[in-house]
Amino acid sequence: RVQLVESGGGSVQAGGSLRLSCAASGLPSFDNYVMGWFRQAPKKGREGVALVYRDDSKTLATSVKGRFTISRDNVQNVLYLQMNNLKPEDTAMYYCAATPNRFPRIDSVHEFPDWGQGTQVTVSS
């Protein structure tokens, strides 16, 4: 079955950096899926952070442009999120997700059928 396993979360001070990883298994072909990072803060809905498409093009949420970078390794079947200059408002549970849809919208959580368990990111002032 499909498994997505996130790692790399933790607690950092504002201005610090973290790199999240998502190891994928059970997908028929990793490079035929659009991969995404989403986050959910307490009392808020799940929001899209970044997507990387099959052709390696990317979309970032406005709130993280210039600070976050999404990338994928199609040999190791791993999705990454490099997070720099972290801010307290970045505090959330971060999830990776996969969809066979070719052009999902970054705000369309429902288009992603496969999800990891999440990794917590906490940024202090």
Side-chain angles (χ1 to χ4, degrees), residues 42-60:
K43 304 176 184 178
K44 297 184 66 177
R46 192 163 297 185
E47 64 176 349
V49 176
L51 302 179
V52 55
Y53 302 93
R54 293 165 60 174
D55 64 353
D56 206 43
S57 60
K58 289 108 173 178
T59 295
L60 293 174

Side-chain angles (χ1 to χ4, degrees), residues 18-124:
L18 288 171
R19 189 176 79 157
L20 307 184
S21 299
C22 173
S25 62
L27 296 174
S29 183
F30 179 76
D31 57 2
N32 284 338
Y33 285 78
V34 176
M35 304 296 298
W37 287 100
F38 298 79
R39 66 187 182 186
Q40 187 165 16
K43 304 176 184 178
K44 297 184 66 177
R46 192 163 297 185
E47 64 176 349
V49 176
L51 302 179
V52 55
Y53 302 93
R54 293 165 60 174
D55 64 353
D56 206 43
S57 60
K58 289 108 173 178
T59 295
L60 293 174
T62 300
S63 60
V64 305
K65 286 181 179 177
R67 300 188 298 120
F68 290 12
T69 303
I70 187 171
S71 61
R72 63 193 297 164
D73 184 336
N74 289 341
V75 176
Q76 298 291 329
N77 294 349
V78 179
L79 175 73
Y80 298 101
L81 185 68
Q82 179 66 47
M83 305 185 294
N84 297 326
N85 192 24
L86 283 160
K87 302 177 179 181
E89 51 262 46
D90 296 318
T91 295
M93 185 73 74
Y94 283 71
Y95 301 88
C96 67
T99 179
N101 294 350
R102 297 184 67 173
F103 302 105
R105 292 175 283 117
I106 194 170
D107 60 350
S108 296
V109 171
H110 61 89
E111 294 190 57
F112 289 79
D114 297 305
W115 294 82
Q117 293 297 307
T119 185
Q120 179 67 40
V121 172
T122 302
V123 185
S124 60

